[in-house]
Amino acid sequence: MEASFLVPSPSFIGFRTSKELPYMLSSCELKSITCFSVCNQKKNYGRKLYTIPIKTVARFCISRSSVRSLESGGTGPHSDAYTVPNDRQRWEMSLDSASYTFHRNSNFEGELEELFDEVKRMIRTGNKNDAVDLLNANYELVKERLNAGAKGIEEAAALDILALGYMAVGDFKFVGSLLNMMKEVIDTLKEDEPHLDSILIHMGSMYATLSKFEKSLDTYQRAVYIMERTYGKDSTFLVTPYLGMAKVLGSIGKATKAIEIYQRVITLLESNRGAENKDLVVPLLGLGNLLLKERRANDAETHFTRVLNIYTKLYGQNDGRIGMAMSSLAQVKCALGKSDEAINLFKRALQIIKDSNYMSLDDSIMEKMRVDLADLLHAVGRGQEGRELLEECLSITERYKGKEHPSIGTHMINLATSYSRSKNYVEAEHLLRRSLKIMMKHKGTDDQSISFPMLQLAITLYHLKNDEEAEKLALEVLRIREKAFGKDSLPVGEALDCLVSIQTRLGKDDSELLELLRRILNIQEREFGYESEEVLATLKKIVYYLDKLGRKHEKFPLQRRLSVLMKKYKQMVHH
């Protein structure tokens, strides 16, 4: 269930929540790390490649002793990861949490390992600039070797660690050009080169993060081809590239193929490690989440229940991981319309995670669970309970991050929305003014993200009959959004709809209002279709104003269209 608090549409707004929202309510992407498998073959490289003072460049490899999936690993509380974040945090965590082993009798591999550790240490201690300097210096050295015609596995390996390092510091653009260089090198390499499978898996993951999905799939497929030849088609080493492929296929809408691969991974792990092994958790969750996305909640429920049973057997009733599994199951119950069961599961999940100290109270995962539960409570008419949870979110963030932290604004918007739903517009106004002040302080007065609380404040002031200030704010929202999204965008349509309602009550000129309504209609037709409910509502208003202005020749064709639409919706209701 997606949290739906962000931009509430009051009764007079005929728009759905914008698909172009700049931020979400809770930044929950599971803190997981990327682990990869590699063959530890020996290869000596003639001379020391990297001679800069801080220990050198690198590529990293995980020993085969414990192959974990693309979406899990590490030793911290989030080891059994649920989703793979596609953002900088993921790469910082992969660098911070992974451990890499080499045959230290190779100078080259030893140097690479040292550099990897150094980059990891710098990022962990917050010395991002030093890490960038180190990466840049080593990039220059690798480039020299490439220009001199050297294009072997060692160059591919060095580019690999550099790309992962740049990914960790957030320079995604440069990662793209490094991947192009890597592809040129690996395209010339034979399949039996040591470490090539591992480099390909890293590349597949990086391509996916940059949304280059076709390239990601091609790279994973080559890794699978090499690994099947080396270890056989039933090896658990295939789990990592398979999971990467399934994730990508799910992202590009090829759900049937993705489901097939998830099932292959599950079968492979069951036959190698038994039906209750914890390594099954990640593919089961990946498959469950995909089925949920495909609106196959009943099928998803089976997999999430199995995860809960595996965890319960392994860790007992009170482990934090049980709470995480319950949270996933709650999402399924929600999709099945079993609201009471979902609410109980969410509540138990939050309690178990809190009691077991599995994660910090201000963790983004717990935050998202509280927001989802609050949203569900509001949806079933238990607004007071939902509001208490949102107040808890706000006070936790204030306690852990301070009263001026940017995320405070989001919690205030959520709480304000809750108050608006219960018609307490005075309290909503107070919270929205505070959130707007905090967001302006961090984002400036022209950033499109501030237009969302600003529009909500305009709506709240409309309800409080403070039309002059409401109009002023709506006009400002319109200006910001036209600049940010374009004059015919959905967020602009949302602002125009609000403005029309305010200006109608202010008694503005009918022909001006009509022009605004025509703009709204164009946006709605493009976004929602010519026969949508949004279009129906706006057509009614346009026909009303054309009638009022006596423009009958313009009114009649629209009136005919309106009656056809109304007849259609009437029939739908009866059926």
Side-chain angles (χ1 to χ4, degrees), residues 9 18 28 82 140 165 237-238 283 338 341 390 402 457 488 524:
S9 291
S18 166
C28 170
Y82 279 63
E140 290 304 322
F237 296 154
L238 291 163
K338 298 176 180 176
E341 286 182 52
L390 294 175
L457 181 55
D488 299 321
Q524 288 175 331

Side-chain angles (χ1 to χ4, degrees), residues 156-346:
L159 287 168
D160 183 27
I161 195 61
L162 286 170
L164 289 158
Y166 283 111
M167 195 66 115
V169 295
D171 190 348
F172 287 11
K173 194 175 178 184
F174 191 52
V175 171
S177 59
L178 283 175
L179 283 168
N180 292 338
M181 292 165 75
M182 285 169 76
K183 188 174 186 312
E184 273 184 43
V185 175
I186 63 157
D187 282 352
T188 66
L189 299 177
K190 291 179 180 169
E191 313 299 11
D192 59 355
E193 285 284 3
H195 309 317
L196 181 57
D197 58 345
S198 184
I199 292 170
L200 288 164
I201 292 171
H202 295 167
M203 288 177 73
S205 185
M206 286 188 276
Y207 275 135
T209 303
L210 299 179
S211 301
K212 295 181 178 180
F213 297 120
E214 294 303 327
K215 287 183 178 178
S216 175
L217 278 179
D218 290 346
T219 317
Y220 278 132
Q221 276 161 347
R222 188 176 173 197
V224 166
Y225 172 74
I226 293 169
M227 292 167 86
E228 282 180 345
R229 282 177 57 196
T230 313
Y231 306 105
K233 292 190 176 185
D234 297 324
S235 168
T236 51
F237 296 154
L238 291 163
V239 166
T240 299
Y242 275 159
L243 281 170
M245 287 170 73
K247 185 88 183 163
V248 169
L249 289 162
S251 301
I252 58 175
K254 295 185 178 177
T256 309
K257 184 70 179 160
I259 289 165
E260 189 187 303
I261 293 175
Y262 277 125
Q263 285 167 337
R264 196 184 308 168
V265 170
I266 290 163
T267 306
L268 197 153
L269 285 169
E270 283 172 340
S271 59
N272 277 276
R273 298 183 184 172
E276 292 177 337
N277 189 282
K278 73 172 182 180
D279 291 348
L280 283 161
V281 165
V282 170
L284 285 169
L285 287 165
L287 180 53
N289 284 325
L290 182 57
L291 290 165
L292 200 51
K293 187 177 152 192
E294 292 295 305
R295 302 184 187 284
R296 290 170 57 182
N298 280 314
D299 295 335
E301 186 173 17
T302 311
H303 301 298
F304 287 133
T305 304
R306 193 173 165 193
V307 169
L308 185 57
N309 292 337
I310 290 171
Y311 273 165
T312 306
K313 186 159 187 181
L314 284 172
Y315 306 115
Q317 297 280 351
N318 302 314
D319 188 88
R321 281 162 284 210
I322 301 295
M324 295 303 299
M326 281 180 176
S327 165
S328 287
L329 201 51
Q331 306 277 3
V332 177
K333 298 290 186 188
C334 213
L336 291 168
K338 298 176 180 176
S339 302
D340 289 341
E341 286 182 52
I343 288 166
N344 291 335
L345 279 165
F346 269 133

Side-chain angles (χ1 to χ4, degrees), residues 478-490:
L478 186 60
R479 182 191 69 77
I480 292 170
R481 290 189 177 185
E482 282 179 342
K483 188 178 168 188
F485 303 116
K487 294 201 169 192
D488 299 321
S489 63
L490 192 55

Side-chain angles (χ1 to χ4, degrees), residues 4-9 378 387 390 410-423 428 431-432 456:
S4 61
F5 278 114
L6 194 55
V7 178
S9 291
H378 278 90
R387 196 149 47 251
L390 294 175
T410 307
H411 293 304
M412 285 177 178
I413 293 167
N414 286 346
L415 200 47
T417 306
S418 174
Y419 278 117
S420 292
R421 285 183 183 184
S422 62
K423 306 279 190 286
L431 285 160
L432 288 165
Q456 195 168 332

Side-chain angles (χ1 to χ4, degrees), residues 79-115:
S79 299
D80 299 297
Y82 279 63
T83 58
V84 180
N86 273 339
D87 58 13
R88 186 179 312 169
Q89 181 189 46
R90 161 184 169 173
W91 295 100
E92 287 171 356
M93 295 191 69
S94 67
L95 282 170
D96 191 34
S97 310
S99 65
Y100 296 89
T101 53
F102 288 94
H103 290 281
R104 292 310 300 271
N105 59 347
S106 155
N107 287 340
F108 174 77
E109 291 181 344
E111 288 170 12
L112 294 179
E113 186 181 359
E114 283 178 36
L115 176 75

Side-chain angles (χ1 to χ4, degrees), residues 27-47:
S27 53
C28 170
E29 273 289 2
L30 249 179
K31 294 184 175 119
S32 62
I33 55 175
T34 312
C35 291
F36 301 101
S37 47
V38 71
C39 18
N40 279 329
Q41 293 129 313
K42 296 179 186 180
K43 181 161 181 179
N44 288 311
Y45 301 100
R47 62 187 188 81

